Amino acid sequence: MDSIQIKSNIDMINTYSVIIKSPAILGKVIGELDLGQSVDQLSEKITINSQENSQVFSLTVQDSNPTKAVEIANTVSETFQKEIKDEPDPELVLS
């Protein structure tokens, strides 16, 4: 892979990070898990990290209940994959 392709992939991961924490994704997670919190409150519990010049990122959820944290992380991941699988919906990106 050339450096332009790698940079493009890293930029895509940065974009995915923004989309993951968007109201379009987190709103669905809140609804599915009946969390009773705002998108902003949920977003504060989520950290997305990628190593410099890496095409891999990790999603971490902190919650007082470890089981709930795992459930949230898995649901965020599943919801993101479902939503991003098809052509991106402009509403998803712009929310």
Side-chain angles (χ1 to χ4, degrees):
M1 236 183 240
D2 63 16
S3 62
I4 294 172
Q5 182 66 37
I6 291 172
K7 170 130 176 50
S8 176
N9 289 346
I10 291 170
D11 289 344
M12 183 62 71
I13 289 171
N14 291 335
T15 301
Y16 285 168
S17 297
V18 172
I19 294 171
I20 287 169
K21 293 183 82 171
S22 73
I25 299 293
L26 297 186
K28 289 181 180 185
V29 171
I30 290 167
E32 185 172 331
L33 297 177
D34 195 26
L35 294 177
Q37 56 191 263
S38 71
V39 167
D40 288 338
Q41 289 170 321
L42 180 56
S43 181
E44 288 176 10
K45 295 180 175 186
I46 298 172
T47 305
I48 300 169
N49 294 310
S50 63
Q51 292 183 345
E52 192 172 330
N53 297 324
S54 171
Q55 298 176 49
V56 176
F57 66 92
S58 64
L59 181 144
T60 306
V61 176
Q62 293 184 327
D63 191 88
S64 58
N65 180 335
T67 303
K68 180 61 77 177
V70 170
E71 187 177 29
I72 292 169
N74 288 336
T75 305
V76 169
S77 175
E78 291 165 6
T79 303
F80 170 72
Q81 289 177 49
K82 218 180 307 178
E83 293 296 323
I84 209 71
K85 177 171 81 170
D86 300 321
E87 284 187 56
D89 179 348
E91 181 179 311
L92 176 67
V93 176
L94 298 175
S95 293

